[in-house]
Amino acid sequence: MGLTIALNRGRILKECLPLITAAGYAPAERFEDSRKLVFPTVDGAHRLIVMRGADVPTYVEYGAADVGIVGKDTLLEHPGAGYYERLDLGLGRCRLMTAAPRGVDISRGPLRVATKFTQSARRWFESQGRQVEIIPL
């Protein structure tokens, strides 16, 4: 079997399909209506694995996939886990934001921040010199 590519089933899947196809890894079947995990390519030489974005780094790290396409937010949450960003495809641009109720003064004192992006939030607040308690969501 040739190359195994792990793909994020999320928002960027539709954007990365033309790139995958142009690179010669066109899927033999449609992803949209399927609950399957593994799809052959048109030439039958490679496999595409479609999964939750958070699972892509694990599949690559442990060798179940040779490469993966995933959002940068996911990569930033798994730092130093034996893989790296080979190429920024410029897909699925997003921004991480902080929010608080109107009128709340967040300029002083420690903060309590609830987030799904614990590593990114911790790094950002540390770079600002802010003491923060991270509550994982």
Side-chain angles (χ1 to χ4, degrees), residues 9-89:
R9 184 177 291 279
R11 187 169 64 110
I12 67 172
L13 180 60
K14 192 177 283 188
E15 292 181 57
C16 78
L17 281 178
L19 298 173
I20 294 287
T21 300
Y25 302 103
E29 305 171 34
R30 291 175 44 88
F31 297 142
E32 294 86 351
D33 305 322
S34 179
R35 294 181 52 86
K36 288 173 56 175
L37 176 68
V38 181
F39 296 86
T41 57
V42 170
D43 63 6
H46 309 285
R47 295 185 311 165
L48 304 174
I49 305 176
V50 181
M51 65 193 69
R52 291 178 337 126
D55 294 339
V56 170
T58 304
Y59 272 64
V60 173
E61 181 178 2
Y62 288 96
D66 300 306
V67 296
I69 298 176
V70 70
K72 190 171 287 201
D73 57 340
T74 302
L75 286 179
L76 292 172
E77 288 300 306
H78 297 83
Y83 47 80
Y84 59 96
E85 178 182 0
R86 179 87 173 151
L87 175 67
D88 185 342
L89 298 174

Side-chain angles (χ1 to χ4, degrees), residues 95-131:
R95 297 185 316 186
L96 297 178
M97 306 294 288
T98 57
R102 282 187 204 263
V104 173
D105 181 14
I106 61 168
S107 63
R108 295 181 291 145
L111 296 173
R112 294 178 74 197
V113 176
T115 181
K116 179 174 136 180
F117 304 103
T118 58
Q119 299 300 317
S120 298
R122 186 176 317 286
R123 280 191 302 273
W124 190 83
F125 283 107
E126 285 176 0
S127 76
Q128 303 297 307
R130 295 298 307 265
Q131 183 180 1

